[in-house]
Amino acid sequence: MARLDTVLGQIIKDRIRSKGPMTIQEYMATCLYDSRYGFYSQGPNIGSVDGPFDTNAKFSAFAFAITKAVKQADQLLGNTIRVVELGGGTGELGKSVLRFLENDRNYMVVDPSSGLRVKQDQVGLQAVGDLTEITPAPTFLFGNEILDALPVHKVMGTEQGEILEFFVDLDEAGEFFEIPLAPSTPALLARLQSLNVTLGRGQVGEICLELSSLFQKVKQVVEPGYVVFVDYGDSASKLYSFQRRNGTLRSYYRQHQIHDIFYAPGEQDLTADVDFTTVRREAQAVGLVGGTPVSQETWLKNLGIQEYIDPENICARDVEEIECLTKSSQLGSAFDVLIFKTIGLPEGPGG
Ligand SMILES: C[S@@+](CC[C@H](N)C(=O)[O-])C[C@H]1O[C@@H](n2cnc3c(N)ncnc32)[C@H](O)[C@@H]1O
């Protein structure tokens, strides 16, 4: 498929010409979050019919379940707590959750993407760009598919048991290509060593270094409370296994998965499976407890998603929504849920 000539693609090429190759992490961060032309900064219709991909967020039943989690967290904390949604997308999910909560709740969205914040604002949500803009308070914080949208470094094992890192460079025709070079930071090998992972020769894997700072900020805000992440991913031992030897970094363009991460910079989504082992470690490092992944199916059923269906007036669409969210052949096993709590609280909602 011939690559598209995008404005952001030209900007990145100019940067490489003047400063040399950039890491995949920098490329991904620019493609997704460049303040003007980044995929998310432009405010895509995530989850809509014409959007780049489906998410839980488009299902009202999912918002209902989040509402149940918020109410259960209230009871566990003995307080009416604030809700913070990380990565609010188009704001549809937040709007539905607030509607189920009868608009009677302090609900904040945190999203670095200006175009999406505009959409969140348009549906009546209060949105800020960074967690540091929020003061500490008793909180239920959740994020649906935000961890998979954090930029990752891409590395490859060598014969000597070390790693090289992939950089983005330009060939003679001025086209993007990936080149393995010495790692940009020793933190990459250190991460793999801390996980007891040795990548085989030629084996590829992604590493997200942003998780540490994210959890430090989360801990500053959730005082006390619960933190819930819904995402696709796996334990480090499975993620860095031979079965995934080509890594998990992938791209979506208009609902279709495409292999070329250089197809349309700024117009395609880039994403990678989440390393749940590191997520738990970084959460624990800031004093959060828990985080054993449970399937979305189990979590939603534990919360009581079935109550979304009105027994007096069973509607086929409601039944379909629940099936889509919980069936293991659909989204039910595609996503896992990691539930954390601050020290001293009872087990989190649905856990
Ligand atoms: C895959 S989209 C998911 C959006 C929405 N939660 C949904 O399910 O439709 C990823 C979202 O995470 C946001 N995001 C990326 N990095 C973030 C961060 N560090 N803090 C909060 N949100 C972030 C993006 O701007 C985007 O809104």
Side-chain angles (χ1 to χ4, degrees):
M1 213 157 51
R3 291 175 178 170
L4 303 185
D5 188 16
T6 65
V7 176
L8 189 58
Q10 287 306 327
I11 292 172
I12 296 173
K13 285 180 178 177
D14 287 345
R15 204 174 298 168
I16 292 173
R17 280 187 199 102
S18 66
K19 293 189 180 161
M22 64 169 63
T23 64
I24 290 285
Q25 190 274 344
E26 194 188 343
Y27 174 76
M28 185 170 171
T30 310
C31 284
L32 297 183
Y33 303 112
D34 175 83
S35 58
R36 241 177 118 190
Y37 300 109
F39 173 76
Y40 284 120
S41 311
Q42 296 184 74
N45 281 334
I46 311 163
S48 73
V49 182
D50 63 339
F53 46 80
D54 281 348
T55 80
N56 289 320
K58 74 181 212 186
F59 298 106
S60 174
F62 188 74
F64 173 82
I66 295 284
T67 311
K68 292 209 70 146
V70 172
K71 289 183 176 165
Q72 288 176 22
D74 278 350
Q75 281 173 354
L76 292 165
L77 255 116
N79 210 338
T80 299
I81 57 178
R82 167 184 73 182
V83 182
V84 173
E85 182 183 0
L86 275 193
T90 57
E92 287 304 317
L93 176 60
K95 191 176 81 174
S96 301
V97 173
L98 256 183
R99 184 166 46 81
F100 284 120
L101 290 167
E102 291 164 356
N103 288 315
D104 183 24
R105 185 70 61 145
N106 183 349
Y107 194 105
M108 299 281 307
V109 178
V110 179
D111 203 310
S113 307
S114 53
L116 289 173
R117 287 203 304 279
V118 169
K119 292 199 163 168
Q120 292 150 13
D121 182 61
Q122 281 165 353
V123 297
L125 297 173
Q126 202 186 339
V128 297
D130 195 83
L131 272 165
T132 51
E133 296 172 58
I134 300 188
T135 50
T139 301
F140 176 85
L141 178 146
F142 78 100
N144 184 60
E145 280 199 60
I146 94 122
L147 300 178
D148 67 72
L150 300 178
V152 290
H153 295 260
K154 179 173 166 184
V155 296
M156 177 177 74
T158 69
E159 211 165 352
Q160 295 75 30
E162 299 197 342
I163 54 167
L164 293 172
E165 178 173 7
F166 285 95
F167 284 68
V168 182
D169 203 353
L170 301 178
D171 64 16
E172 283 170 8
E175 277 303 320
F176 292 117
F177 77 105
E178 291 180 54
I179 178 169
L181 298 170
S184 61
T185 160
L188 298 174
L189 185 58
R191 163 69 64 76
L192 293 178
Q193 286 170 339
S194 78
L195 292 167
N196 227 357
V197 166
T198 306
L199 294 179
R201 181 175 160 229
Q203 185 186 344
V204 171
E206 293 84 21
I207 296 174
C208 179
L209 295 178
E210 225 176 278
L211 290 170
S212 167
S213 63
L214 177 73
F215 274 100
Q216 282 166 24
K217 291 182 195 172
V218 165
K219 183 60 179 40
Q220 295 299 318
V221 163
V222 180
E223 206 42 80
Y226 293 97
V227 175
V228 174
F229 286 108
V230 183
D231 228 309
Y232 40 80
D234 224 323
S235 63
S237 59
K238 290 199 177 133
L239 211 52
Y240 297 114
S241 68
F242 190 68
Q243 278 70 26
R244 311 233 179 119
R245 59 189 171 282
N246 295 321
T248 65
L249 180 63
R250 56 195 178 275
S251 166
Y252 290 88
Y253 181 75
R254 300 195 178 154
Q255 297 273 18
H256 295 290
Q257 187 173 338
I258 51 170
H259 291 290
D260 186 3
I261 62 166
F262 304 119
Y263 176 66
E267 290 176 22
Q268 68 194 120
D269 184 31
L270 298 169
T271 180
D273 281 12
V274 178
D275 166 9
F276 291 152
T277 307
T278 299
V279 170
R280 292 186 70 195
R281 281 187 181 184
E282 297 297 357
Q284 284 160 8
V286 299
L288 292 170
V289 185
T292 306
V294 289
S295 71
Q296 172 164 299
E297 174 183 6
T298 304
W299 187 64
L300 293 177
K301 287 184 175 166
N302 285 351
L303 287 172
I305 194 171
Q306 296 297 339
E307 291 162 32
Y308 179 68
I309 296 171
D310 177 357
E312 309 282 298
N313 181 18
I314 296 178
C315 157
R317 213 184 123 201
D318 296 349
V319 176
E320 253 174 53
E321 281 205 11
I322 293 184
E323 283 196 352
C324 189
L325 288 164
T326 58
K327 269 202 163 174
S328 45
S329 55
Q330 301 193 45
L331 298 175
S333 70
F335 294 105
D336 279 304
V337 184
L338 280 66
I339 310 153
F340 299 97
K341 58 177 185 142
T342 51
I343 289 171
L345 293 185
E347 287 307 309

